[in-house]
Amino acid sequence: MAQIKEIETGLELEYETLPVLPLRGLVAFPDMLIHFDVGRLISMKALEQSMKDNQRLFLTAQRDIRMDTPEENDLYTVGTVCTIKQILKLPGDNIRVLVEGTHRAAVEEFSMQDDCLFARVFRLETDPGRISQRRKQALVRTLQERFEDYAALSSHLSRDVVLTVLDGGEPGYLADYVAQNTPLEFEIKQGLLEELRDVRRLEQTIRIIGNEIEILRIESDLQEKLKEQVDKNQREYYLREQMKVIQNELGEQDFGNEVEEYREKIRALKLPQESEEKLLKEAGRLEKMQPLSAESGVIRTYLDTCLELPWNTTTKENIDLAEARRILDRDHFGLEKVKDRILEFLAVKSLAPQLKGQVLCLVGPPGVGKTSISKSIAEAMGRKYARMSLGGVRDEADIRGHRKTYIGAMPGRIMNALSQAGSKNCLLLMDEIDKMGADSRGDPAAALLEVLDIEQNSTFRDHFIELPFDLSDVLFITTANTLDTIPRPLLDRMEVIEISSYTEQEKAEIAMCHLLPKQLEKHGLKKSNLSLSRETMVYLIDAYTREAGVRRLEQLIAKVCRKAAKIIADDQQAKGTATTRKRVTVTRSNMEKFLGTPRYKQDNVSKKDEVGVVNGLAWTSVGGEMLQVEVNVIPGTGKLEITGNLGKVMEESAKAAVTCVRSSAKDLGVDPMFYKDSDIHIHFPEAAIPKDGPSAGVTMTTAIASAVTGIPVRHDVAMTGEVTLRGRVMPIGGLKEKTMAAYRAGIKTVIVPADNEPDLQDIDPIVRENVEFVTAETMKTVLDTALRRPAQETALTTEPHTALPVVPSAAPARITRQGEVC
């Protein structure tokens, strides 16, 4: 006080009496916001008096923070006059107060009125001091640097405080701001509050912050050393004790009970002795380990995985053939070979229950229902269903799993699928088996050799499980688009069932019975909302799709349903009611409004008989097509020109056709040396499309014969077959698709090889009813049927021809369009 009075000498002091609010462990500074909680009666009285007057009060710190009712001698005589900014009531009897300091003040005397402590105080003015600008700037920079170091070591400072200090300011204000926002002892802060000279207060703050930096550095070093001293065993012990307490609180079993449960589950499986001893040994190892060790986690994972496998769990099979047939027919149209094979398996199973699982391979183009039929087969047989995709698999470990010694080891896909199915005799679908690869990690196809061998897979060992598992009861079904990429040893273990592409009539049946009802329900439509006739569906298939299956067809039907749903919704909103009924009719005439311009046109077939133009038939991956052949004989030097983007096989077939015609020149009534002075040009239209295969030999031979004789070819006749140099007609494949193309193009007569006569039973009934079939063994029959000879000419001697019959054909010799074969 002596120093303060000495500074104030010569000044006229202004006194005021304010309520006193003692602070415990806090110091308020001028021009600073501070908030604190109030709970004592003396503090409550001070707040009440302040709110009655001008919301001003005097804040000063008490010397001993343990005292609840401090007296005059227990308070510092230098404090801060503050203005109350906000009062907030807290739960209970406490109050949170936000105040702002206005200026320093000293106490002249204390007094007590109405249980409230008052003080007569006078204002203390600070002395900026006489200091050069450079020194002041140096002091400020020093404080900023030290405070930045202090902030880096302290976790209690906010980023805003650091930025404010780095922004700078007057020495007095900067010293007060740092003192207010730094967790220093309140005695140190009180000393800074009582220092009225700004420069000296700033210097003291710099020294205090420097001292705090050293203390924080020592604390940080001590913490680091302490962490190093706590070894692994101590941490494990501490955590282990915590786990025991937590388990006791939650009522959970202890580690010993967990191991005993594993043993009970292992014995309950009733595994072979070797497998049971192996698992019990692993449980014994787990019991000897620390519960939180990494190795114990590996053993737990191993035991859990083994216990989840369906070692002895099976499902009862459905041997009701009629019910199985009903389910298969309900879900899929056609696919008779697959359905018959499944029914045969069930029939044999009913007579010989010991029959083990089979391995079927469904091969066919995309979208014909290979994957979806598998789920229907599982339902028909009463088996659980699991699916695993093999497309893009290149690692052998995906099939056989990883050794459990590796970090992150897991069982292979076979074991995972069995766990998912939960049955030892499930149906396991291996999708896209033709799209597996091999690299440095092994060949997954080689790993499948044991899986798909019925004689070996009864003791299949996964690398992770390390126990023999019986896969002989599993019914394996694999799917593939082609057999070319499947290794021969793997292919030999599977029974291949080929699924051909659908004809237009089959697609129409599938669309009307399956796809359309499915999409109507999916889009919230009823049968009464959308009218789409079978004839319109056939037009949609022919004009907008070119595919073997019905995947694209379903997408187009969905598009039609979306358009119809929009029309109906617009109509409902326009009429303002949800009960409006509107029927949308889709016909050939308005199809473009729903699907746009047709993408494909009908096969172009000439409507008149022409010389050198013959209708051939081609097989493609999306069905059959008409393939016209044009031949022109012009004066020349005996050259043979073949155009139309033909493959090597087709070019050789063309040369054989020329030789065949030359050998029959006398029978055709032409000069045997006709080729000497003539050039023969054979052309297949749509030259941009690649074509290959031998089955156009008959077509080319007929076209050449017509061109050299000048006899026109009947426009309503189509043909297919391979020809030899001596004129024999050889069998071909893809007859079902080819005959459908002929029917679609309006052909009345189709010439087929005599060896393909049994295949006529597999063609569509509607084709059989509307098309006459001529079977030919030699080219004489073909020419007599196809050439429009004048009445006076003597017909070539032909063998009798027949129409219709049955039985599958030889492997198709085909023509490719983008890989389509003839």
Side-chain angles (χ1 to χ4, degrees):
M1 287 295 296
Q3 181 186 5
I4 294 173
K5 287 183 178 180
E6 183 181 337
I7 292 176
E8 300 294 338
T9 302
L11 298 177
E12 184 177 351
L13 302 178
E14 296 182 0
Y15 292 92
E16 60 178 329
T17 302
L18 297 172
V20 179
L21 197 156
L23 298 177
R24 290 200 286 192
L26 293 176
V27 175
F29 285 85
D31 301 321
M32 305 294 167
L33 288 172
I34 181 175
H35 64 82
F36 51 87
D37 294 341
V38 174
R40 293 184 294 180
L41 179 62
I42 187 174
S43 301
M44 295 283 191
K45 291 291 185 181
L47 286 177
E48 291 177 1
Q49 291 296 331
S50 175
M51 296 304 294
K52 290 178 182 179
D53 194 2
N54 54 4
Q55 298 184 359
R56 287 162 58 84
L57 75 166
F58 179 69
L59 296 184
T60 185
Q62 63 185 58
R63 301 178 188 275
D64 189 353
I65 62 175
R66 294 172 295 180
M67 298 188 65
D68 288 334
T69 54
E71 298 180 356
E72 298 178 8
N73 295 332
D74 299 322
L75 302 176
Y76 287 101
T77 56
V78 176
T80 304
V81 176
C82 299
T83 303
I84 298 175
K85 292 295 184 181
Q86 186 181 54
I87 295 179
L88 179 65
K89 289 186 177 181
L90 300 177
D93 297 331
N94 291 336
I95 296 175
R96 179 161 293 176
V97 183
L98 177 67
V99 300
E100 182 181 10
T102 56
H103 58 270
R104 287 174 169 80
V107 179
E108 177 72 18
E109 62 178 349
F110 289 103
S111 63
M112 184 69 71
Q113 301 177 14
D114 298 332
D115 296 329
C116 180
L117 183 64
F118 285 86
R120 186 167 182 264
V121 299
F122 59 90
R123 181 172 184 146
L124 295 176
E125 300 291 343
T126 58
D127 179 15
R130 296 179 180 180
I131 184 175
S132 66
Q133 187 67 26
R134 291 182 178 178
R135 178 171 174 77
K136 181 171 71 172
Q137 189 175 2
L139 289 173
V140 170
R141 286 186 179 181
T142 302
L143 177 62
Q144 289 173 334
E145 291 174 0
R146 292 201 177 184
F147 191 77
E148 191 171 11
D149 293 340
Y150 174 79
L153 294 170
S154 175
S155 60
H156 305 290
L157 294 179
S158 68
R159 184 64 180 169
D160 293 338
V161 173
V162 179
L163 293 176
T164 302
V165 174
L166 295 179
D167 194 38
E170 292 298 320
Y173 173 81
L174 203 56
D176 290 347
Y177 185 82
V178 170
Q180 182 73 75
N181 291 281
T182 306
L184 304 173
E185 295 180 0
F186 76 94
E187 293 91 346
I188 298 176
K189 291 185 178 182
Q190 182 67 30
L192 292 174
L193 181 68
E194 294 178 359
E195 179 57 64
L196 301 181
R197 286 166 289 195
D198 293 347
V199 175
R200 183 170 295 182
R201 190 163 68 254
L202 182 60
E203 292 173 346
Q204 290 180 4
T205 303
I206 292 173
R207 286 195 299 271
I208 292 170
I209 294 299
N211 185 51
E212 289 295 320
I213 290 173
E214 293 300 322
I215 293 174
L216 288 177
R217 284 176 177 168
I218 293 173
E219 288 181 354
S220 178
D221 292 341
L222 289 175
Q223 289 293 334
E224 291 296 328
K225 291 179 180 179
L226 183 61
K227 287 181 180 180
E228 293 175 359
Q229 291 174 356
V230 179
D231 59 12
K232 181 179 179 181
N233 292 334
Q234 290 176 320
R235 288 199 303 271
E236 287 184 355
Y237 175 78
Y238 177 70
L239 294 172
R240 198 157 47 245
E241 292 301 316
Q242 277 192 329
M243 285 295 295
K244 288 182 180 179
V245 174
I246 293 172
Q247 287 177 345
N248 291 333
E249 290 293 328
L250 296 177
E252 294 182 352
Q253 59 186 4
D254 59 18
F255 185 64
N257 291 338
E258 179 188 10
V259 174
E260 191 58 36
E261 274 197 12
Y262 276 127
R263 289 196 176 102
E264 292 176 2
K265 291 179 180 179
I266 293 169
R267 294 189 182 100
L269 290 177
K270 300 187 182 303
L271 300 177
Q273 183 178 357
E274 176 192 353
S275 300
E276 183 174 305
E277 289 178 355
K278 167 72 174 175
L279 294 178
L280 289 175
K281 183 178 179 181
E282 291 295 324
R285 290 182 59 209
L286 178 63
E287 188 176 27
K288 298 175 182 178
M289 292 182 178
Q290 298 295 339
L292 299 179
S293 66
E295 183 66 18
S296 67
V298 173
I299 296 178
R300 278 194 185 90
T301 302
Y302 173 74
L303 291 175
D304 290 338
T305 304
C306 291
L307 293 174
E308 288 174 0
L309 291 174
W311 295 93
N312 298 307
T313 305
T314 58
T315 54
K316 185 178 180 181
E317 284 188 326
N318 172 30
I319 56 175
D320 186 345
L321 300 183
E323 176 65 13
R325 183 77 193 195
R326 185 193 66 79
I327 294 174
L328 294 174
D329 290 339
R330 178 198 67 190
D331 296 339
H332 291 82
F333 176 80
L335 304 179
E336 295 302 327
K337 292 182 181 179
V338 183
K339 296 177 182 177
D340 289 342
R341 181 62 184 85
I342 298 305
L343 295 176
E344 290 168 5
F345 176 79
L346 291 177
V348 175
K349 192 76 172 176
S350 64
L351 299 177
Q354 73 279 6
L355 179 69
K356 295 299 183 180
Q358 302 292 312
V359 182
L360 305 180
C361 180
L362 307 182
V363 181
V368 295
K370 300 186 299 297
T371 302
S372 60
I373 187 85
S374 302
K375 187 173 289 187
S376 299
I377 293 172
E379 182 183 352
M381 299 179 67
R383 293 195 177 203
K384 295 292 185 66
Y385 170 79
R387 174 184 174 274
M388 53 182 285
S389 176
L390 297 178
V393 172
R394 294 180 174 274
D395 191 353
E396 179 189 353
D398 279 344
I399 306 299
R400 302 191 68 97
H402 303 79
R403 300 286 182 189
K404 66 175 184 291
T405 53
Y406 294 108
I407 296 176
M410 62 183 68
R413 297 193 182 196
I414 303 293
M415 294 292 103
N416 281 334
L418 290 172
S419 298
Q420 174 189 344
S423 172
K424 184 181 178 182
N425 65 337
C426 66
L427 185 150
L428 180 54
L429 173 65
M430 296 183 175
D431 217 358
E432 309 293 353
I433 196 172
D434 58 323
K435 295 178 177 60
M436 288 190 300
D439 59 13
S440 58
R441 294 169 293 181
D443 185 359
L448 282 177
L449 292 177
E450 180 186 2
V451 176
L452 300 182
D453 192 326
I454 303 301
E455 302 300 326
Q456 299 181 27
N457 62 11
S458 59
T459 56
F460 174 73
R461 286 179 181 265
D462 185 273
H463 287 162
F464 183 84
I465 304 298
E466 295 180 339
L467 297 175
F469 192 94
D470 187 2
L471 298 177
S472 60
D473 290 329
V474 177
L475 175 60
F476 292 99
I477 295 183
T478 64
T479 68
N481 297 129
T482 177
L483 300 178
D484 298 339
T485 57
I486 303 177
R488 178 57 58 182
L490 185 60
L491 189 60
D492 289 342
R493 285 164 166 75
M494 301 184 288
E495 180 181 344
V496 177
I497 300 177
E498 292 191 3
I499 302 178
S500 61
S501 58
Y502 293 121
T503 63
E504 283 188 359
Q505 298 301 320
E506 288 173 334
K507 291 179 183 178
E509 186 70 24
I510 294 171
M512 298 302 294
C513 297
H514 297 277
L515 303 183
L516 183 58
K518 173 184 174 182
Q519 293 301 324
L520 287 174
E521 180 181 359
K522 186 177 180 180
H523 291 84
L525 300 174
K526 298 180 180 179
K527 291 183 179 180
S528 58
N529 296 135
L530 180 63
S531 174
L532 199 157
S533 66
R534 186 184 182 88
E535 291 73 17
T536 305
M537 185 66 72
V538 172
Y539 172 72
L540 186 155
I541 294 168
D542 187 58
Y544 291 90
T545 66
R546 278 291 190 273
E547 58 177 344
V550 292
R551 192 167 291 154
R552 174 62 179 166
L553 175 59
E554 185 172 10
Q555 295 172 0
L556 294 176
I557 293 174
K559 186 175 182 180
V560 171
C561 291
R562 289 195 299 270
K563 299 283 187 181
K566 182 176 183 300
I567 294 173
I568 294 173
D570 289 343
D571 181 70
Q572 289 177 352
Q573 293 178 7
K575 295 185 178 180
T577 175
T579 60
T580 305
R581 290 288 183 267
K582 183 174 179 64
R583 184 178 181 86
V584 177
T585 302
V586 181
T587 62
R588 292 187 58 162
S589 59
N590 66 359
M591 182 71 73
E592 291 191 21
K593 296 181 181 179
F594 293 87
L595 300 178
T597 305
R599 297 183 59 185
Y600 306 101
K601 296 182 179 180
Q602 293 284 353
D603 293 322
N604 294 322
V605 178
S606 177
K607 300 303 180 184
K608 63 178 181 178
D609 301 342
E610 296 183 64
V611 175
V613 178
V614 183
N615 296 320
L617 296 174
W619 180 93
T620 72
S621 61
V622 297
E625 287 188 15
M626 297 295 298
L627 183 69
Q628 280 195 337
V629 179
E630 298 178 353
V631 175
N632 209 349
V633 179
I634 56 178
T637 59
K639 291 190 299 183
L640 175 64
E641 187 74 22
I642 306 172
T643 57
N645 200 356
L646 308 183
K648 184 177 181 181
V649 175
M650 211 162 186
E651 290 180 355
E652 292 177 351
S653 184
K655 295 175 182 178
V658 173
T659 303
C660 179
V661 172
R662 287 175 55 189
S663 65
S664 303
K666 291 183 179 181
D667 294 335
L668 293 172
V670 297
D671 183 5
M673 306 301 291
F674 70 90
Y675 64 92
K676 287 285 188 179
D677 302 323
S678 302
D679 291 343
I680 301 176
H681 188 165
I682 304 175
H683 178 67
F684 287 79
E686 297 185 80
I689 301 175
K691 312 171 188 71
D692 200 9
S695 65
V698 168
T699 310
M700 288 188 283
T701 303
T702 304
I704 296 170
S706 171
V708 298
T709 60
I711 302 174
V713 181
R714 290 171 53 187
H715 69 277
D716 59 349
V717 172
M719 60 189 68
T720 182
E722 183 180 355
V723 70
T724 67
L725 296 178
R726 293 176 173 81
R728 286 185 57 218
V729 179
M730 305 297 290
I732 45 81
L735 189 62
K736 180 181 178 182
E737 290 81 4
K738 292 179 180 180
T739 55
M740 177 55 71
Y743 166 73
R744 187 173 60 238
I747 298 297
K748 299 301 182 183
T749 303
V750 175
I751 303 173
V752 299
D755 291 341
N756 285 115
E757 184 175 338
D759 299 334
L760 294 176
Q761 290 188 4
D762 293 335
I763 67 175
D764 199 280
I766 192 171
V767 178
R768 192 183 301 133
E769 294 172 5
N770 293 274
V771 177
E772 177 188 1
F773 291 95
V774 176
T775 58
E777 293 184 0
T778 67
M779 281 302 303
K780 292 181 180 181
T781 304
V782 177
L783 297 178
D784 268 356
T785 304
L787 297 182
R788 183 76 71 179
R789 296 179 182 275
Q792 65 272 22
E793 283 198 28
T794 303
L796 294 172
T797 305
T798 64
E799 58 278 347
H801 58 80
T802 57
L804 309 186
V806 204
V807 173
S809 69
R814 316 165 192 165
I815 189 180
T816 66
R817 302 190 138 222
Q818 304 278 20
E820 315 152 5
V821 220
C822 168

